Amino acid sequence: MARNKIALVGAGNIGGTLAMLAGLKELGDVVLFDIAEGTPQGKALDIAEASPVEGFDARMVGSNDYAAIKDADVVIVTAGVARKPGMSRDDLIGINTKVMKSVGEGIKNNCPNAFVICITNPLDVMVGVLQRAAGLPTNKVVGMAGVLDSARFRYFLAEEFNVSVEDVTAFVLGGHGDTMVPLVRYSAVAGIPVPDLIEMGWSTQDKIDQIVQRTRDGGAEIVGLLKTGSAFYAPASSAIEMADSYLKDKRKLLPCAAYVDGAYGLDGLYVGVPVIIGENGVEKVVEIKLNDDEQAMLDHSVKAVQDLNDVVAKMEAEGA
Ligand code: APR
């Protein structure tokens, strides 16, 4: 049986890490595409040369021609500009909207049956631009943010409770920005909800509140440390989990920026919600029960995403 084909549009920090992980996990053959000449070719060759040592079989190709992504099963998009210290994800909107339109065109012309995962920021808005430009059904285009935000939350909780990261489950909903909604009630250690663990004396409400805030600022913390770019290892791992769930029809329940029309009182908008990812892409948007506080935080986050969508709509109306 032919191997799956994974196209990575953008061969920068996240793109290169995605290629390495896809190889290590033998998810399929990999094509790296970028507008920068030599970068995708160089990274593809470098990773291919690691394959005999690591013991994986995967063809690694780099290209500056969209024809190379022809018939890809999965496309992961990181093309665009990453933020620098002092910038918010929203500051990237003008340039990355243009990039998403050209990438969407490339996908439409070469692999209209692919499952597409967008990582480019500001995420919730960019995934919508990409979906419209590619003309793919909404269940086949999703954004990666919730898996990353939840992974950060899980890591901080595991540190606080001094338990294995594998035992910690957590949920972060809403837009991928300062208004994201880490859901403490739905976070647990081996099934024991965090509020119960506070009652058991494992932590305090104050410490959990600090962890929630650190999760919200998780991206900025890395940008502040790196100074020259944004996070790339954890974002790449997170997108690979989504691709794996699709390719192997694992039906994992993952928080993703998905198109929500009806659930959560929303009317056709990409935002972070729990979804099941299987062979058809987004198989189902899972509507969990929120209490009044959680709903208010989600509404606030949705409003922030809607405001950015309005900025893009205005730019488009002005012909930008
Ligand atoms: N088409 C294809 N590739 C492009 C285009 C384009 N129109 N414009 C830029 N690129 C490429 C750049 O040449 C670069 O190699 O996108 C790559 C981006 O890589 P990095 O700058 O290393 O950024 P990275 O850390 O990988 O993040 C990419 O993900 O998390 C988000 O905010 C982040 O939007 C950013 C994206």
Side-chain angles (χ1 to χ4, degrees):
M1 210 171 89
R3 291 188 201 135
N4 291 318
K5 177 168 173 178
I6 298 152
L8 307 174
V9 178
N13 280 333
I14 302 179
T17 313
L18 285 167
M20 187 69 184
L21 287 173
L24 289 171
K25 290 174 186 265
E26 289 197 328
L27 286 188
D29 290 336
V30 175
V31 173
L32 283 146
F33 170 91
D34 203 290
I35 49 167
E37 280 178 29
T39 303
Q41 292 86 350
K43 291 201 178 183
L45 182 59
D46 192 10
I47 294 168
E49 289 168 357
S51 66
V53 184
E54 293 293 345
F56 62 80
D57 286 297
R59 239 167 79 82
M60 294 278 162
V61 173
S63 180
N64 306 113
D65 181 352
Y66 268 113
I69 74 169
K70 193 155 185 53
D71 297 333
D73 298 291
V74 170
V75 181
I76 308 181
V77 178
T78 61
V81 175
R83 60 182 167 149
K84 307 266 175 351
M87 289 172 90
S88 81
R89 294 182 179 95
D90 304 351
D91 293 334
L92 309 172
I93 199 164
I95 178 140
N96 284 353
T97 294
K98 289 191 186 125
V99 174
M100 287 309 97
K101 288 188 176 174
S102 67
V103 174
E105 194 71 12
I107 292 172
K108 182 198 263 181
N109 294 335
N110 291 288
C111 46
N113 297 316
F115 178 57
V116 178
I117 302 169
C118 179
I119 303 184
T120 301
N121 277 314
L123 194 267
D124 305 85
V125 185
M126 289 303 108
V127 63
V129 174
L130 182 65
Q131 183 266 327
R132 289 191 296 278
L136 267 61
T138 50
N139 63 305
K140 297 298 282 293
V141 185
V142 280
M144 186 299 295
V147 176
L148 169 64
D149 297 327
S150 304
R152 288 178 172 148
F153 195 25
R154 289 168 65 192
Y155 171 68
F156 300 146
L157 288 171
E159 264 197 320
E160 169 63 8
F161 296 131
N162 195 19
V163 296
S164 164
V165 288
E166 290 181 71
D167 280 347
V168 182
T169 53
F171 252 137
V172 176
L173 302 186
H176 184 49
D178 307 336
T179 60
M180 71 178 77
V181 188
L183 288 181
V184 174
R185 261 182 348 119
Y186 284 100
S187 303
V189 173
I192 311 168
V194 168
D196 291 18
L197 292 165
I198 296 174
E199 273 183 33
M200 288 156 61
W202 281 37
S203 186
T204 60
Q205 187 62 51
D206 198 38
K207 281 194 179 148
I208 299 300
D209 290 346
Q210 285 171 28
I211 286 175
V212 164
Q213 194 53 45
R214 190 175 177 198
T215 302
R216 286 204 179 105
D217 299 336
E221 185 177 358
I222 305 278
V223 172
L225 291 165
L226 293 180
K227 294 179 188 71
T228 52
S230 52
F232 52 101
Y233 294 114
S237 290
S238 303
I240 290 289
E241 183 176 32
M242 292 163 64
D244 188 54
S245 191
Y246 170 74
L247 289 169
K248 298 180 186 158
D249 190 27
K250 286 174 82 95
R251 299 185 63 85
K252 280 197 164 185
L253 201 162
L254 301 168
C256 302
Y259 190 75
V260 190
D261 195 8
Y264 296 96
L266 295 175
D267 183 15
L269 178 87
Y270 269 98
V271 72
V273 289
V275 299
I276 292 177
I277 294 187
E279 63 179 341
N280 299 306
V282 174
E283 303 273 355
K284 188 183 168 73
V285 170
V286 180
E287 192 168 7
I288 54 173
K289 246 174 100 175
L290 300 178
N291 64 28
D292 290 348
D293 281 355
E294 292 158 351
Q295 186 64 52
M297 285 192 284
L298 183 62
D299 292 346
H300 178 56
S301 188
V302 164
K303 167 87 173 51
V305 173
Q306 270 161 343
D307 287 350
L308 280 188
N309 277 333
D310 291 345
V311 172
V312 171
K314 191 159 173 273
M315 275 171 23
E316 285 175 345
E318 288 166 358

